[in-house]
């Protein structure tokens, strides 16, 4: 089974959200968690392609295109990793999908449960976001996990000091999804 992992944003071109107080950039936080997730899933026998790029769907042709890479590689599942940011107060984990009731929704449900139960983040649920390129232009079930809020200091602390727990929880969520299907 082939999994395309997409830590959001780009360490050279797009930091994503930041926490200025703690000196954190979303692009670095999700790359760290994504790389750790890759290792756990490879240990579990999955084939992984990890791609972080500022070219999601062709808008930045000099860089590798995220959705083309996933589609051409024929990934079975696509998982994008992001951190949320709002007002410095909001907290929690949410998973975004193209459409409720899809197979991506099932995967999202296993992910939410795994992350919230093992890390203890607030459960903000599963939400439809059909306008997101990584969800609407990927040919396989695709989810985007907003792991926690980087601009809220308690959530940010979890992202940094429990990066490995997030990775383990993502891998477990995926494995549970697979086992739930069989
Ligand atoms: Zn993001």
């Amino acid at each position: 089974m082939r999994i395309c992992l997409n830590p959001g944003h780009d360490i050279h071109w797009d930091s994503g959200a930041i926490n200025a107080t703690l000196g954190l950039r979303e692009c670095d936080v999700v790359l760290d968690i994504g790389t750790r997730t890759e290792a756990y899933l490879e240990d579990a026998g999955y084939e992984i392609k990890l791609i972080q790029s500022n070219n999601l769907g062709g808008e930045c042709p000099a860089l590798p295109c995220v959705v083309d890479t996933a589609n051409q590689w024929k990934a079975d599942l696509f998982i994008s990793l992001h951190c949320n940011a709002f007002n410095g107060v909001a907290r929690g984990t949410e998973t975004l999908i193209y459409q409720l009731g899809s197979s991506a929704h099932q995967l999202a449900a296993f992910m939410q449960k795994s992350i919230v139960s093992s890390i203890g983040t607030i459960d903000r649920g599963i939400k439809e976001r059909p306008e997101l390129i990584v969800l609407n232009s990927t040919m396989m079930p695709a989810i985007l996990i907003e792991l926690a809020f980087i601009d809220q200091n308690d959530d940010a602390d979890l992202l940094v000091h429990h990066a490995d727990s997030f990775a383990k929880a993502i891998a477990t969520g995926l494995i549970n999804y697979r086992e739930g299907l069989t």
Side-chain angles (χ1 to χ4, degrees):
M1 166 150 259
R2 297 179 149 198
I3 313 295
C4 188
L5 282 179
N6 166 232
H9 308 282
D10 189 302
I11 58 169
H12 302 295
W13 303 105
D14 170 22
S15 67
I18 60 162
N19 183 320
T21 311
L22 300 177
L24 297 175
R25 305 191 304 169
E26 179 183 356
C27 61
D28 302 315
V29 168
V30 292
L31 181 58
D32 180 30
I33 292 172
T35 305
R36 292 168 188 267
T37 305
E38 178 182 32
Y40 281 119
L41 286 173
E42 282 179 348
D43 282 352
Y46 290 85
E47 268 187 272
I48 307 297
K49 189 174 286 289
L50 185 142
I51 177 167
Q52 184 180 46
S53 173
N54 207 31
N55 180 4
L56 295 177
E59 65 277 25
C60 198
L63 301 171
C65 177
V66 172
V67 297
D68 287 354
T69 298
N71 291 339
Q72 284 162 17
W73 189 57
K74 299 194 184 332
D76 296 298
L77 298 170
F78 180 94
I79 301 173
S80 192
L81 303 175
H82 284 254
C83 303
N84 228 330
F86 184 49
N87 59 1
V89 177
R91 299 188 64 178
T93 301
E94 63 192 40
T95 302
L96 312 179
I97 57 174
Y98 179 75
Q99 189 173 37
L100 297 175
S102 59
S103 45
H105 189 170
Q106 289 179 281
L107 174 60
F110 279 99
M111 276 304 168
Q112 273 294 122
K113 191 172 174 208
S114 180
I115 294 169
V116 168
S117 66
S118 66
I119 316 282
T121 49
I122 292 166
D123 186 357
R124 300 174 62 89
I126 298 164
K127 297 174 182 174
E128 274 189 358
R129 288 290 298 277
E131 78 282 12
L132 296 178
I133 293 170
V134 294
L135 301 182
N136 68 28
S137 299
T138 38
M139 293 163 68
M140 65 295 304
I143 65 173
L144 187 156
I145 312 171
E146 297 276 11
L147 296 162
F149 281 73
I150 196 171
D151 68 341
Q152 199 284 335
N153 288 345
D154 297 316
D155 261 21
D157 188 69
L158 290 173
L159 286 165
V160 172
H161 295 110
H162 296 272
D164 205 62
S165 305
F166 273 101
K168 218 177 274 185
I170 296 162
T172 301
L174 182 62
I175 292 163
N176 289 346
Y177 163 76
R178 288 277 296 150
E179 286 175 355
L181 291 182
T182 53

